[in-house]
Amino acid sequence: MDNVSVHGAGHAADVHALDGFVLSSIEDRAERVKSGIIIRLPQDDDWRALHELVRKVHERTVFSNVPFSDRKYALIEAQARNPQPHQCLLVAEIDGRVVGLAWFSAGEYLLGEGTVLTTTHLLGVDSEYCGPFRAAKVFVKLLRGVAAWSKTRAAHQILVHVTSGYALKQTDRLIRAGGGICIGGSYVVNS
């Protein structure tokens, strides 16, 4: 999961976190022309688009019957706007449009000491806008961005929890193609 760029390291906590992973301006332009997909930290004018994207992602999940909570989203957005050093939000952009996001954090393994893991809380892509092929590319680039950030936290493993109930086989193929190993599963049991 090398060779990724994360653009716009402007937040004080993230400048140090992403040092060494931001491309120079010449490489930056070449990367933009090559794929058209930019992975970066959020900017002030992204929040409305991120809100709509998260709503879209929610509507595709097995939990779509649960009403979307603007209040809970606002709490998460407040954290993402001012993240702690162990948290990060990355945005995927194509042609100036927000098309994906990854919200994740690093911390010690629950039952052990000295090992830092990164946990992805949400990795979503606007597959309607992108189409399946480009959506897969956005997904992979976001995951590469998570990996680049994880290295700055000395996290050697990334936990990707697929709990949407949507496009499970395709997501499994993407993660396995990136070197992921299935270590279990998530189940829903109605009470």
Side-chain angles (χ1 to χ4, degrees):
M1 297 240 163
D2 294 331
N3 194 21
V4 67
S5 58
V6 180
H7 305 278
H11 300 6
D14 293 315
V15 171
H16 301 293
L18 297 170
D19 188 36
F21 293 102
V22 179
L23 293 176
S24 71
S25 60
I26 293 172
E27 292 170 319
D28 182 25
R29 281 186 296 251
E31 178 66 18
R32 288 173 190 233
V33 169
K34 189 170 91 177
S35 71
I37 302 167
I38 300 166
I39 303 300
R40 59 176 174 75
L41 295 169
Q43 300 168 352
D44 288 338
D45 57 349
D46 290 334
W47 297 106
R48 173 174 264 145
L50 287 166
H51 183 254
E52 290 307 311
L53 177 59
V54 170
R55 275 185 169 277
K56 275 183 164 180
V57 169
H58 171 72
E59 289 171 6
R60 290 193 323 243
T61 71
V62 70
F63 304 109
S64 62
N65 63 315
V66 177
F68 183 85
S69 173
D70 288 316
R71 183 187 64 78
K72 284 188 174 182
Y73 174 83
L75 293 171
I76 294 168
E77 182 181 308
Q79 280 186 333
R81 282 181 182 260
N82 208 4
Q84 297 295 313
H86 70 282
Q87 300 172 323
C88 188
L89 173 68
L90 292 179
V91 173
E93 174 190 317
I94 296 175
D95 299 327
R97 179 183 175 126
V98 172
V99 296
L101 73 141
W103 171 244
F104 48 95
S105 62
E108 278 196 336
Y109 171 61
L110 178 66
L111 300 174
E113 294 182 25
T115 299
V116 177
L117 306 171
T118 297
T119 300
T120 56
H121 306 293
L122 178 62
L123 202 161
V125 178
D126 186 345
S127 55
E128 285 178 18
Y129 178 80
C130 294
F133 180 71
R134 207 167 200 191
K137 286 183 158 232
V138 170
F139 182 92
V140 168
K141 280 194 159 254
L142 281 167
L143 199 52
R144 286 180 179 161
V146 174
W149 180 88
S150 296
K151 287 179 184 178
T152 70
R153 298 303 188 266
H156 299 286
Q157 294 175 314
I158 301 166
L159 301 174
V160 180
H161 304 288
V162 182
T163 58
S164 66
Y166 175 80
L168 298 176
K169 289 181 182 178
Q170 296 90 331
T171 304
D172 180 65
R173 281 196 304 266
L174 278 173
I175 294 171
R176 287 179 188 268
I181 299 167
C182 183
I183 59 170
S186 298
Y187 301 88
V188 173
V189 178
N190 294 325
S191 56

